[in-house]
Amino acid sequence: MNKILFFFTLLSIVSSCRSGDSNNLNENPTSPITDLKFKLSYKTSIDNLEIRQMIKTKDNHYVAIVSAEDYHVIKFDSNFNIVWNKVYGGSKRDYAEDIIEDSQGNLLVIGESESTNGDIEKNNGDFDIFLIKINRDGNLIWSKNYGGSGYEGISQDNTIVETANGNFIFVGYTSSSDFNVSNNNGGYDVWVSKIDSNGNLIKQKTLGGSNDDFGRKIIKLNNNFIITLKSNSSNNDFAQIGNWIASIDAELNIIWKKSTQGINSGSVTVNNNEIFLVNSTSTSYELSKLDSNGNVTKSSSINFSAQTQKQPFVNQIISSNDGSLFIIGDFGYGNEQDAVIFKVNKNFEKIVDNFIAGNNFDKSRSIFPIQANKFLYIINSASTNLQIPLSGKMSSIVTEITEE
């Protein structure tokens, strides 16, 4: 059995929360594993910041996007000292949702914007998808808007990927049928777009029915891409209402698509040519394993009803070195929300879990590997009864997980 050591270290960051999400932290695991140990050591705090997502970069630094009405990006060194702290956008609302590092070491930040000035060259109407490319020093290389006269948006992390030849594909949603958007099937449609390394639109397509349909996540699998979707339609591209998963090629052609379990959209990852998907219902996490052709080879439900009666939500799933999976998510809403991290083995059996459940808002944000058997797990919290000194305002806690 793997021993998981949680080191609550690094940083605490205070801010106001745009989304209304919430989370919380408890030293004692709910699972009866006796070799789970915790070491809590507070390092520092920075006022008025709420990390939405963080990644490790090729130069062994960390870059985070912050919840704000601009694209607020901060780079930290390996000890979490701030290297640079920059803001991009215009005078209206600009919401950064996802950040990736490309093969050249540049950073791409994607979200939505309604601004018409500053770093925004033009706005096609309402909110557009807004993408910036910056170098490792935070200097703006280019910025682009994509969309039409309606509303375009992005669903947080894992919404843009780099292709083998240096292009990029992003997935979101649109209510437009003009400018960059070729057509609309009704309400919001899934919108998948391909751009070159300079941000020029190469190709795009919409998927949807007569009701609202949303693109959620995109990840790379060999030479193709896996996208997850949420449909409220039962016609045109979707035979039934619910969550969907699809495979597309680099030209945005659909190879296969399949309806999946769950009420709420979740997260997806790949490992050894297999696809691992987790969504949620009102009471459980629904896990599925699919082969590269979209065939479901295993499924399971993980239920926490013995620990909480709150509704579960998924934020992210990633693979561990031994083939097991880390899943981070939340239970409940608003100030009553609690964060959770749990690990399942290859058979989808829960190995261990930990709740972050204080007296206020606690939310899982992201998890990513930093070296062999080590991960960083980012939590937002406004609680005051955790075992680290927080102000009671919205804060970001960076924790380190070590597997042994």
Side-chain angles (χ1 to χ4, degrees):
M1 178 181 298
N2 288 333
K3 185 194 299 182
I4 305 175
L5 304 178
F6 288 79
F7 297 97
F8 290 97
T9 57
L10 310 186
L11 58 116
S12 175
I13 302 171
V14 185
S15 83
S16 60
C17 175
R18 170 169 74 90
S19 60
D21 313 348
S22 75
N23 277 307
N24 200 343
L25 205 159
N26 190 319
E27 183 180 4
N28 297 314
T30 58
S31 139
I33 301 288
T34 58
D35 62 352
L36 181 66
K37 297 181 180 178
F38 299 85
K39 178 181 178 182
L40 305 182
S41 57
Y42 170 79
K43 186 174 182 181
T44 187
S45 65
I46 305 173
D47 289 343
N48 301 317
L49 294 175
E50 175 195 351
I51 290 177
R52 294 182 61 80
Q53 187 186 357
M54 182 183 291
I55 61 171
K56 184 180 180 182
T57 54
K58 294 178 175 64
D59 57 1
N60 291 316
H61 288 57
Y62 301 100
V63 180
I65 54 175
V66 175
S67 183
E69 292 193 350
D70 285 301
Y71 279 29
H72 189 175
V73 187
I74 303 175
K75 185 171 186 177
F76 302 92
D77 66 18
S78 58
N79 294 315
F80 281 85
N81 301 303
I82 293 179
V83 178
W84 49 258
N85 183 347
K86 299 194 176 186
V87 174
Y88 314 86
S91 59
K92 293 187 178 181
R93 293 174 295 176
D94 315 303
Y95 297 132
E97 304 285 3
D98 190 16
I99 182 170
I100 63 169
E101 184 181 29
D102 70 12
S103 55
Q104 305 301 310
N106 297 310
L107 300 164
L108 287 94
V109 183
I110 192 168
E112 52 269 341
S113 170
E114 65 171 352
S115 295
T116 58
N117 56 4
D119 296 316
I120 292 88
E121 292 183 1
K122 67 170 186 175
N123 178 282
N124 294 311
D126 208 332
F127 278 87
D128 287 346
I129 291 175
F130 179 51
L131 176 63
I132 64 170
K133 185 175 186 177
I134 56 179
N135 66 17
R136 65 184 58 193
D137 296 318
N139 298 316
L140 184 66
I141 299 173
W142 51 254
S143 65
K144 300 282 186 179
N145 276 48
Y146 308 94
S149 57
Y151 188 108
E152 283 75 39
I154 290 290
S155 299
Q156 297 186 12
D157 63 302
N158 295 117
T159 48
I160 183 169
V161 293
E162 186 174 6
T163 68
N165 59 359
N167 294 321
F168 298 90
I169 298 175
F170 63 80
V171 61
Y173 50 90
T174 178
S175 64
S176 301
S177 59
D178 53 8
F179 294 98
N180 300 138
V181 186
S182 56
N183 68 290
N184 180 276
N185 297 290
Y188 287 98
D189 281 352
V190 177
W191 195 37
V192 187
S193 300
K194 180 180 178 180
I195 60 173
D196 65 20
S197 60
N198 294 313
N200 300 308
L201 186 64
I202 299 172
K203 180 173 291 191
Q204 58 79 44
K205 72 185 308 179
T206 58
L207 300 168
S210 55
N211 292 321
D212 292 336
D213 310 296
F214 302 93
R216 294 302 195 199
K217 311 288 184 185
I218 181 168
I219 56 172
K220 197 171 186 298
L221 177 60
N222 300 321
N223 294 320
N224 296 320
F225 304 88
I226 303 299
I227 58 174
T228 62
L229 321 164
K230 174 71 173 183
S231 176
N232 291 296
S233 301
S234 56
N235 55 6
N236 293 345
D237 293 309
F238 301 107
Q240 64 185 55
I241 295 171
N243 293 305
W244 287 74
I245 188 169
S247 175
I248 62 171
D249 62 22
E251 298 304 313
L252 311 186
N253 300 306
I254 293 180
I255 301 169
W256 54 259
K257 67 177 185 286
K258 182 179 292 291
S259 63
T260 62
Q261 297 173 309
I263 298 171
N264 302 301
S265 301
S267 184
V268 63
T269 191
V270 297
N271 189 27
N272 293 327
N273 285 326
E274 293 181 311
I275 304 161
F276 297 92
L277 175 71
V278 57
N279 293 319
S280 65
T281 68
S282 60
T283 58
S284 64
Y285 291 96
E286 300 296 322
L287 282 73
S288 300
K289 180 168 68 173
L290 299 84
D291 63 23
S292 58
N293 295 314
N295 301 305
V296 177
T297 59
K298 188 170 185 61
S299 61
S300 180
S301 295
I302 303 291
N303 193 301
F304 286 86
S305 59
Q307 293 101 316
T308 180
Q309 299 302 306
K310 297 176 182 179
Q311 182 173 346
F313 298 94
V314 181
N315 290 336
Q316 196 173 352
I317 180 173
I318 64 166
S319 298
S320 181
N321 290 334
D322 61 2
S324 57
L325 299 162
F326 278 112
I327 298 166
I328 63 170
D330 309 301
F331 285 94
Y333 303 89
N335 292 343
E336 299 299 319
Q337 191 171 19
D338 299 328
V340 67
I341 178 171
F342 62 98
K343 186 179 183 182
V344 299
N345 63 19
K346 296 177 183 178
N347 295 318
F348 288 171
E349 298 166 329
K350 181 160 64 74
I351 303 169
V352 67
D353 63 64
N354 187 63
F355 278 69
I356 297 87
N359 58 6
N360 207 323
F361 174 97
D362 305 292
K363 180 175 180 59
S364 297
R365 278 302 189 184
S366 59
I367 183 171
F368 57 93
I370 56 173
Q371 61 187 67
N373 300 320
K374 284 193 175 183
F375 303 82
L376 289 190
Y377 168 41
I378 290 86
I379 308 152
N380 291 155
S381 178
S383 295
T384 57
N385 63 339
L386 305 181
Q387 296 184 6
I388 50 177
L390 298 178
S391 68
K393 297 180 181 179
M394 185 57 59
S395 304
S396 295
I397 308 165
V398 180
T399 71
E400 184 179 274
I401 302 171
T402 301
E403 295 182 290
E404 294 186 349

